[in-house]
Structures are given as structure tokens and as C-alpha cells.
Amino acid sequence: NVLTKAGGGAPCYQPGTLGGNSNPNAGAPDPTCASTSVANPYYNASIQPLLDRNGWYEPYPNEAPYQPPAGEGTSIAPNVFTGYLSYKHDKITVTPTFQLNQGTTYGSPLSVYGLDPRACGSNQSNSGSNPYTGAPFGPVPGTDTPQNPNYLTCAPTSFTGNGNLAIPNPQTGSFDGMGQYRDPWQFNLGMQFGYDVSNKVHASLFLANIVNRCFGGSKEPWQQAFAPGNLVCGYATNGSFYQSNFFNGSSPSNSVNPTLASFEQQSYGPVGGNLPFNAYFSLQIKL
């Protein structure tokens, strides 16, 4: 909030100290927005509400922004339905089994990281007094976004106290709530066959994951990009893969890869839920 206009932020800041810049005013507001200053991408953003200190929240580990296991949401499904049917005729037994899991929750205010303009040593301009003239810091080819941060010169910020700047999710316009989103439901079907070869020999065949399908969940842009099915069963924060406000413009990454991959355009990425088909055969012999 302190970077927004309403919160007292500045439209531009003087270059940070990455690379040994001895400027005593590094990271200080620059109301004149000189050609060497770094533009503030949050200046015109809205003030974000704070968390309710007395509110109720999903259980959360001390591993923000990740959730167990490995960012896939809370580890225990809130509702699980299991069942089976068994049919026996003469020597044959057929037993289908199923399990239906409700999706877990995911999301947090720390899910999306952005650049802190106060900690960037240079902008994308290829002109002016730029102390970062050597590779890999600049100058950056192109001047269509000359004052946007050159992300190669943006160090983990010391202004936030923990080295990272959590920002509102650009896809939603606000900070994500704790457990705001719901993963898809998951349905799994298996089958077991039994056959009495004799009164002392029993054969069993178990077919696992005949059907494994995920469906439903929160309808969000990343779910539209990576729809749930037999391969996708959940979503997790996309971390450094999501470009957020890394200003591709004419930056070095754009000169190498002009088109962002689809997963780089989503604040949350898909989590695989593919369970391969398995078959198990066994014989029980009574001596």
C-alpha cells in the first residue's frame, strides 16, 4: 500500500544499489521522474484491505506461499466419499470400488511476487546516465518502455523485511485470500475380480485407476487455460514462472522469446493428478 499514490508512494524512484551504486539516495522517491529513475508500477493501484486479525482462516504451514504438499493446497480433502459393490456367482466375484474427493483449497496473499521499484538498479532505457552498462545489466535494447525496471537489476528488496514483495494478483486485481480458491473434485474407479480355481486355489485380478477424472473447482483464468481432467487435478502458485509485472516489453527476455508460454501468463499453474492404470494378479493357495 505504501507504494500506491493513495498510500504516499511516488511515481518514480531513484535507482537502487545493485552493482555497487554508492548513491546515498538509492531507492528514494524521485518526483521529477528523471530519465534514469525507475517507474513505480503500483502508483495508480488501489489501496488493498488488510487481513482481519479476528478472522477465521484455513490451516497454513510456516512455508508461505506454499501449502502441503508442495503447494497443492491443504493436504486433507474436506469431504471424501468411498464405496464398493460386490457381486458373487458360483466361483466368480466382481467388486467395483470408487472414491470421490472434494477439492482442497489454495491461494494466499503471498501467492504472487512482483518487482520493487525501490530495489531496481536501472530502468530499460538505453540512454542517459546509467551506471549499469556492462552485461548482463544493460543497456536494454529498445525504448518503448524506457523507465520500466530492468528486471535483471532488481535485487530482492530490503524494504519489505523478508526479501520479497508480495503484490495483488494482476489477474484478479486484489490480493488473494487465504484458501480463496477450490481445487477440482477427483473421482477414481477400480475393479477387482476373484475366481475359485479349486477349493484350495483362488485367483485375484485387481485393476487400479481404470477411471481417474477431475472436474469442477473454482472457475478462474488459470483453470480455463489448464482445464481439469485426467492430467490436471489441482493448482499451485506459479512462483517465478508467472511474469506478473516483470515488464517484458523490450526487455532481454522478450528479445529471446517474444511470445510468453501459456503457463508464464497464469498466476497459478496446474498440478498433475495423473494416476496410471495398474493391474495386479495374485494366487492364494491353501496347503
Side-chain angles (χ1 to χ4, degrees):
N1 284 341
V2 298
L3 290 173
T4 66
K5 180 179 180 180
C12 299
Y13 291 91
Q14 295 195 36
T17 58
L18 183 66
N21 181 2
S22 60
N23 179 9
N25 296 317
D30 181 6
T32 65
C33 282
S35 61
T36 56
S37 64
V38 178
N40 177 7
Y42 317 103
Y43 184 66
N44 293 314
S46 301
I47 288 283
Q48 295 291 320
L50 303 180
L51 292 173
D52 182 2
R53 292 178 179 268
N54 299 314
W56 290 85
Y57 302 99
E58 292 281 349
Y60 210 75
N62 187 22
E63 194 198 354
Y66 301 102
Q67 295 167 287
E72 299 173 25
T74 49
S75 57
I76 301 176
N79 291 290
V80 178
F81 305 91
T82 62
Y84 70 93
L85 297 173
S86 185
Y87 171 79
K88 182 175 176 62
H89 177 73
D90 197 12
K91 298 181 178 182
I92 299 177
T93 303
V94 180
T95 307
T97 63
F98 76 89
Q99 181 166 310
L100 179 63
N101 301 329
Q102 184 181 14
T104 58
T105 58
Y106 66 98
S108 97
L110 302 179
S111 290
V112 181
Y113 291 154
L115 299 179
D116 188 335
R118 300 167 296 181
C120 295
S122 173
N123 61 34
Q124 293 187 22
S125 175
N126 60 0
S127 63
S129 176
N130 185 342
Y132 304 98
T133 57
F137 298 126
V140 179
T143 57
D144 61 334
T145 52
Q147 287 194 297
N148 281 350
N150 175 359
Y151 72 89
L152 290 175
T153 72
C154 296
T157 177
S158 60
F159 296 93
T160 61
N162 65 357
N164 294 305
L165 180 67
I167 65 172
N169 188 336
Q171 292 190 279
T172 64
S174 60
F175 281 103
D176 294 334
M178 302 284 278
Q180 175 178 342
Y181 307 111
R182 175 74 64 181
D183 273 328
W185 288 70
Q186 184 175 18
F187 176 77
N188 186 273
L189 175 68
M191 189 80 71
Q192 182 169 304
F193 299 91
Y195 181 75
D196 293 324
V197 180
S198 68
N199 60 347
K200 291 188 176 182
V201 179
H202 178 77
S204 297
L205 175 64
F206 180 68
L207 306 179
N209 306 320
I210 298 175
V211 175
N212 182 67
R213 188 77 181 179
C214 293
F215 58 92
S218 299
K219 304 298 182 183
E220 303 298 335
W222 47 89
Q223 191 196 58
Q224 304 302 315
F226 301 98
N230 64 321
L231 297 178
V232 177
C233 278
Y235 303 90
T237 178
N238 218 357
S240 60
F241 290 115
Y242 179 48
Q243 294 300 306
S244 61
N245 61 342
F246 279 69
F247 300 104
N248 237 34
S250 293
S251 64
S253 65
N254 193 55
S255 64
V256 176
N257 182 18
T259 303
L260 288 175
S262 57
F263 72 91
E264 293 179 296
Q265 302 177 41
Q266 305 299 327
S267 53
Y268 290 88
V271 175
N274 182 35
L275 297 176
F277 172 78
N278 286 273
Y280 306 90
F281 178 77
S282 64
L283 284 175
Q284 292 178 325
I285 301 175
K286 297 179 181 179
L287 300 178

